Amino acid sequence: MGRVSTAARVLVVEDADAIRAAVHSALRDAGYEVLGRPDGQQLESDLARFRPDLVILDLMLPGRDGFTLLDVVRRTTQAGVVVLTARDGVPDRLRGLSGGADDYVVKPFVLAELVARVAAVLRRLGRASSTVQIGDLVVDADSGVVLYRDQKVDLTATELRLLNYLAAQRGRVVSKAQILTAVWGYEDYDPNLVEVHVSALRRKLEAHGPRLLHTVRGLGYVLRPGET
C-alpha cells in the first residue's frame, strides 16, 4: 500500500549547514515534509517541483540574496514565507515584511518558536495539515485514518482521540492527569482508565511494528519512534 503524504511542505533556504540541519530535523519531527538548500541557485526549480506551502528564507546567502529570492517566491507562488536572518535592523525588517514575508525571525532563535511560527503562518494561509507523521506512523486527525508501516490500524473512537492527543504532543511526556483532561474532559477520575486505553492502543500499534508508545515510570507516557 503506497503512502500519499498530505503533510505541509516546507522549503528551507539557509547556507549555514548546522542551522539548516537543525531546522530540517525540527520541522520533520513536527510532521512536515522538508527540503533543505544551502542557497537559492535552483529556487525556481524547487518551487516548481517541490511546490512548498511555505519557504524559510535566509537573507544573507551566497549568490542571489534573500530579498531577490523573496521577490521570486512572491511573483511565482502562493507559498508563505518566514524570513530567518541575523539582520535585525528595522529597515531590513520593514523591507522583508513589505516585500511579502509573512513573518521575520531573527537569529539566534529558539527552534520550538520557529516551528510554532511556521505552524501559525500555515494556519493563516489555510494550509495546515491534519496529518502527523512519527516515524512510520501516520495519523490523520480529520479523516480518522491511522497507518503504521503502511498498514491501516483500526481504532475505537476513544483510542483515536487518545492517539491524536499523543501525536500532537509527540516527543513530550504527558501525565495521566493531562491525558484524562484532554481526552475525556475529566480532571479528577480513576487513572486506571488511561492505563486500560493506553494498553489497548499499544497492542494495536505493536501488531504492525516496533513500539512507539512508551511508559516513562512515574511521569506518564510518550509517543516516539526508535526505542525498544
Side-chain angles (χ1 to χ4, degrees):
M1 180 178 175
R3 176 183 298 155
V4 177
S5 174
T6 59
R9 295 179 296 275
V10 181
L11 173 63
V12 181
V13 186
E14 164 64 59
D15 64 326
D17 294 341
I19 294 176
R20 187 174 66 255
V23 171
H24 188 289
S25 179
L27 291 171
R28 182 193 58 208
D29 290 346
Y32 300 109
E33 187 176 343
V34 188
L35 175 65
R37 295 297 190 198
D39 56 49
Q41 297 308 310
Q42 57 188 62
L43 178 65
E44 287 85 354
S45 175
D46 286 335
L47 293 175
R49 295 181 181 180
F50 185 60
R51 294 178 294 108
D53 296 292
L54 184 139
V55 179
I56 294 179
L57 186 61
D58 188 9
L59 291 182
M60 296 185 290
L61 293 164
R64 294 189 294 175
D65 67 69
F67 289 117
T68 300
L69 299 178
L70 174 58
D71 183 60
V72 171
V73 175
R74 276 288 154 259
R75 284 189 292 102
T76 60
T77 79
Q78 298 297 314
V81 178
V82 174
V83 168
L84 180 63
T85 180
R87 297 172 67 163
D88 60 353
V90 173
D92 287 326
R93 289 174 181 265
L94 292 176
R95 184 180 176 189
L97 293 171
S98 64
D102 297 280
D103 204 346
Y104 196 104
V105 179
V106 176
K107 302 174 184 176
F109 60 96
V110 177
L111 275 172
E113 180 183 356
L114 176 63
V115 173
R117 286 173 178 261
V118 166
V121 171
L122 288 170
R123 282 196 300 271
R124 289 199 301 269
L125 296 175
R127 297 176 193 173
S129 174
S130 66
T131 300
V132 174
Q133 183 165 351
I134 304 168
D136 292 326
L137 176 70
V138 178
V139 182
D140 190 323
D142 287 349
S143 70
V145 173
V146 177
L147 301 176
Y148 189 23
R149 291 195 162 184
D150 292 328
Q151 299 298 312
K152 190 172 184 295
V153 183
D154 292 319
L155 302 177
T156 67
T158 300
E159 290 165 353
L160 182 60
R161 289 200 306 272
L162 173 59
L163 181 58
N164 282 334
Y165 175 68
L166 292 169
Q169 304 300 318
R170 54 196 173 277
R172 292 188 287 271
V173 178
V174 291
S175 68
K176 292 178 184 178
Q178 288 173 307
I179 294 173
L180 277 170
T181 300
V183 178
W184 283 274
Y186 304 133
E187 294 183 0
D188 184 16
Y189 203 77
D190 186 355
N192 289 330
L193 181 69
V194 175
E195 294 179 9
V196 169
H197 283 85
V198 166
S199 295
L201 176 59
R202 180 181 282 150
R203 284 195 301 273
K204 290 184 178 182
L205 292 175
E206 290 181 12
H208 300 283
R211 176 163 294 189
L212 292 171
L213 180 49
H214 309 276
T215 301
V216 181
R217 192 176 301 277
L219 296 176
Y221 303 97
V222 59
L223 191 68
R224 62 180 173 228
E227 297 185 18
T228 57

